[in-house]
């Protein structure tokens, strides 16, 4: 799918893993010939790649208190850590439980082979994904660019996802360790009911979607986290609807359902990106959108079985 200015649409990739420090992971990634760049470490637990194909990528311990927060985002725990000078001790202890995360900047889909090369290097260097331990609830996050940057399209895609989520979770099959945590909770059925009812009575615009999303999905712990995109599209309404200020708003859908399956040499983010594109396919086609809505409604009112629901989505998104 190409963007309106002729450049290929971009996607940002985030990968959580264990088995390496942030610095080791960063050095492994820049050693890949087609990546390159230099490692800039602000602490032993937070590094950045400067230059090369992944310029601006962050590799850091994914724990809130491992590193000094940006100015203005401190809380009482940060104040205590600073007062007792225990930041390094806290980070060292957390490194046994929390993953290291690679957050790559948005790149054109045609260049995803660069991410795949970095993944292959991490695997060979000993990085471990979700299936390496029942305690590794590690994920792959895709930040899929909203293109064109149309608020109505954002609403359609978010709504299509709500109708299709049960099918998509079946197709992705997230690991039990991730399903047992709250990080990728499904949307509450009442949220999808509310979306469906609003569509029945009147046009569902961005403001209306944000109001319903804030009421039923106040946290970011969902398979599709819409808050960064909503905060970019309408900061005032989104921040009023969210129970806390939205950090790092961006023009992208934050899709976070898939596992990080580093143990599989064939694993690639392309597989999950293809599934995500099927959600957008439904959103962009009025006939498919109504079919998805109908399938979800009949499934909720037990007019069709879960198997029939799944089959309908398989049929409507066949190539």
């Amino acid at each position: 799918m190409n963007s309106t200015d002729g450049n290929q649409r971009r996607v940002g990739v985030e990968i959580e893993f264990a088995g390496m420090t942030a610095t080791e992971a960063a050095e492994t990634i820049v050693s890949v010939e087609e990546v390159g760049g230099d490692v800039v470490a602000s602490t032993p637990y937070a590094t950045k790649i400067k230059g090369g194909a992944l310029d601006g990528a962050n590799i850091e311990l994914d724990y809130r208190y491992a590193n000094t927060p940006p100015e203005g985002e401190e809380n009482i725990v940060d104040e205590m850590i600073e007062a007792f000078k225990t930041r390094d001790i806290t980070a060292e202890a957390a490194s046994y439980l929390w993953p290291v995360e690679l957050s790559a900047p948005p790149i054109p889909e045609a260049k995803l082979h660069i991410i795949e090369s970095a993944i292959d290097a991490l695997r060979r260097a000993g990085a471990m994904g979700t299936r390496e331990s029942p305690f590794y609830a590690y994920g792959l996050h895709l930040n899929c660019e909203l293109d064109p940057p149309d608020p109505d399209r954002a609403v359609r895609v978010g709504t299509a996802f709500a109708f299709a989520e049960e099918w998509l979770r079946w197709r992705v099959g997230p690991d039990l360790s991730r399903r047992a945590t709250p990080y990728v909770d499904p949307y509450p059925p009442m949220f999808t009911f509310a979306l469906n009812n609003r569509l029945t009575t009147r046009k569902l615009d961005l403001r209306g979607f944000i109001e319903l999303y804030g009421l039923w999905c106040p946290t970011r712990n969902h398979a599709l986290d819409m808050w960064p995109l909503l905060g970019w599209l309408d900061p005032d309404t989104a921040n009023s609807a969210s129970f806390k200020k939205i950090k790092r708003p961006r023009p992208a859908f934050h899709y976070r359902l898939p596992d990080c399956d580093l143990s599989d040499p064939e694993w690639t983010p392309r597989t999950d990106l293809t599934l995500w594109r099927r959600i957008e396919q439904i959103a962009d086609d009025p006939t498919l959108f109504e079919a998805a809505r109908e399938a979800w409604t009949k499934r909720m009112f037990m007019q069709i079985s879960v198997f029939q629901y799944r089959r309908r989505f398989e049929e409507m998104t066949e190539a």
Side-chain angles (χ1 to χ4, degrees):
M1 183 177 295
N2 292 332
S3 62
T4 52
D5 65 0
N7 296 317
Q8 193 175 56
R9 190 175 176 191
R10 299 179 304 164
V11 59
V13 179
E14 301 173 25
I15 301 171
E16 300 170 335
F17 55 91
M20 308 178 74
T21 66
T23 301
E24 290 170 342
E27 291 174 345
T28 297
I29 292 170
V30 300
S31 70
V32 176
E33 183 176 357
E34 59 184 317
V35 177
D38 299 307
V39 177
V40 179
S42 55
T43 76
Y45 310 98
T47 63
K48 182 183 288 288
I49 294 176
K50 184 177 181 180
L54 294 180
D55 180 42
N58 292 303
I59 303 96
E60 59 187 18
L61 181 64
D62 189 22
Y63 179 64
R64 165 68 177 77
Y65 301 106
N67 299 289
T68 303
E71 186 175 353
E73 296 184 12
E74 304 90 344
N75 59 30
I76 189 171
V77 177
D78 289 297
E79 293 173 1
M80 292 176 63
I81 289 175
E82 292 299 329
F84 291 101
K85 302 185 184 305
T86 57
R87 184 78 65 185
D88 287 345
I89 296 174
T90 300
E92 179 65 24
S95 66
Y96 292 97
L97 298 172
W98 268 262
V100 168
E101 181 180 61
L102 162 64
S103 296
I107 61 173
E109 289 180 32
K111 294 186 177 181
L112 273 176
H113 61 89
I114 296 171
I115 299 292
E116 291 171 326
S117 295
I119 288 172
D120 184 58
L122 289 171
R123 179 189 299 112
R124 288 186 282 105
M128 297 180 289
T130 309
R131 303 185 197 283
E132 298 297 319
S133 168
F135 302 105
Y136 289 173
Y138 301 159
L140 163 71
H141 300 185
L142 299 174
N143 292 288
C144 302
E145 185 177 24
L146 173 64
D147 183 57
D150 177 11
D152 287 341
R153 185 171 187 271
V155 170
R156 290 198 309 273
V157 173
T159 305
F161 180 91
F163 292 143
E165 183 173 11
E166 185 178 5
W167 162 75
L168 187 61
R169 297 177 80 90
W170 167 68
R171 284 300 307 269
V172 173
D175 189 79
L176 178 61
S177 63
R178 302 191 70 230
R179 285 181 279 137
T181 67
Y183 303 131
V184 290
D185 282 346
Y187 283 156
M190 287 305 299
F191 171 59
T192 313
F193 271 115
L195 290 174
N196 187 53
N197 289 340
R198 187 69 66 91
L199 286 169
T200 301
T201 58
R202 59 187 185 276
K203 175 179 167 57
L204 180 61
D205 60 10
L206 179 62
R207 181 178 292 271
F209 184 90
I210 292 174
E211 290 172 353
L212 294 177
Y213 197 83
L215 178 63
W216 295 108
C217 310
T219 76
R220 298 191 60 178
N221 295 332
H222 292 287
L224 175 58
D225 169 25
M226 289 286 289
W227 283 121
L229 176 56
L230 298 177
W232 183 82
L233 289 169
D234 188 344
D236 292 339
T237 303
N239 279 299
S240 295
S242 176
F243 73 94
K244 61 181 181 180
K245 183 176 175 60
I246 299 170
K247 299 177 182 177
R248 293 189 298 167
R250 51 194 180 272
F253 299 96
H254 187 44
Y255 174 53
R256 46 190 288 168
L257 179 62
D259 293 337
C260 170
D261 200 5
L262 274 171
S263 61
D264 180 1
E266 302 299 318
W267 177 72
T268 167
R270 292 180 192 272
T271 303
D272 291 292
L273 182 59
T274 298
L275 275 176
W276 169 259
R277 294 292 180 238
R278 294 171 77 169
I279 299 295
E280 295 185 328
Q281 177 188 354
I282 293 170
D284 292 335
D285 186 319
T287 300
L288 292 180
F289 185 87
E290 286 304 317
R293 181 182 176 190
E294 179 186 28
W296 178 86
T297 302
K298 289 187 174 182
R299 165 75 178 124
M300 287 300 101
F301 288 99
M302 294 181 289
Q303 294 174 324
I304 60 174
S305 70
V306 63
F307 303 104
Q308 291 171 312
Y309 166 87
R310 291 172 181 171
R311 185 168 66 246
R312 290 193 181 190
F313 277 94
E314 289 291 290
E315 292 172 350
M316 74 176 70
T317 59
E318 286 180 350

